[in-house]
Amino acid sequence: VQLQASGGGLVQAGDSLRLSCAASGRTFSTYDMGWFRQALGKERERVAAISRSGVSTAYADTVKGRFTISRDNAKNMVYLQMSSLKVEDTAVYYCAARTVASAPGKYEYWGQGTQVTVSS
């Protein structure tokens, strides 16, 4: 699967932004999907994940209640709706995919990042 993330930009604290990730291929519904971010000088962090069916989601404590991950398997898309953005949300955001055969917690397929910058 090939992944293409988009939707990043420069926003102010408190604003909302929606990231999109387009996936290629006809087997998108067989992949669990995740959104990760990496801020300058920091380790990569998984911020949200969604199961193949979209029924199960998980969030990092740092974004819980503010970010929502969703997917549309008919369109091969996964989204990250970000609300009440904070300066500390500034990072490059990546979408990633894993299969049932992947090692636990390991995402094998990555898109290019999209920069999100939140100003105060």
Side-chain angles (χ1 to χ4, degrees):
V1 64
Q2 292 185 325
L3 305 172
Q4 178 84 25
S6 61
L10 173 64
V11 297
Q12 291 189 327
D15 284 351
S16 298
L17 197 63
R18 189 176 83 157
L19 304 183
S20 299
C21 177
S24 65
R26 294 174 289 180
T27 60
F28 176 67
S29 61
T30 66
Y31 295 92
D32 294 328
M33 300 296 297
W35 282 99
F36 292 73
R37 68 184 181 187
Q38 188 164 22
L40 196 62
K42 295 187 177 181
E43 292 187 354
R44 188 172 62 197
E45 171 190 28
R46 193 187 79 176
V47 295
I50 190 165
S51 63
R52 295 180 295 281
S53 66
V55 170
S56 297
T57 58
Y59 297 93
D61 288 343
T62 51
V63 306
K64 199 171 293 182
R66 299 188 298 120
F67 290 11
T68 302
I69 188 171
S70 62
R71 66 189 296 163
D72 185 337
N73 285 345
K75 296 182 178 178
N76 283 15
M77 297 291 295
V78 63
Y79 306 99
L80 186 68
Q81 178 68 47
M82 304 184 293
S83 302
S84 302
L85 282 162
K86 304 177 180 180
V87 172
E88 51 264 41
D89 293 320
T90 296
V92 177
Y93 284 72
Y94 302 87
C95 60
R98 62 186 303 274
T99 70
V100 293
S102 302
K106 180 174 174 62
Y107 286 73
E108 298 175 345
Y109 307 95
W110 293 83
Q112 94 295 349
T114 185
Q115 176 72 47
V116 173
T117 303
V118 185
S119 64
S120 59

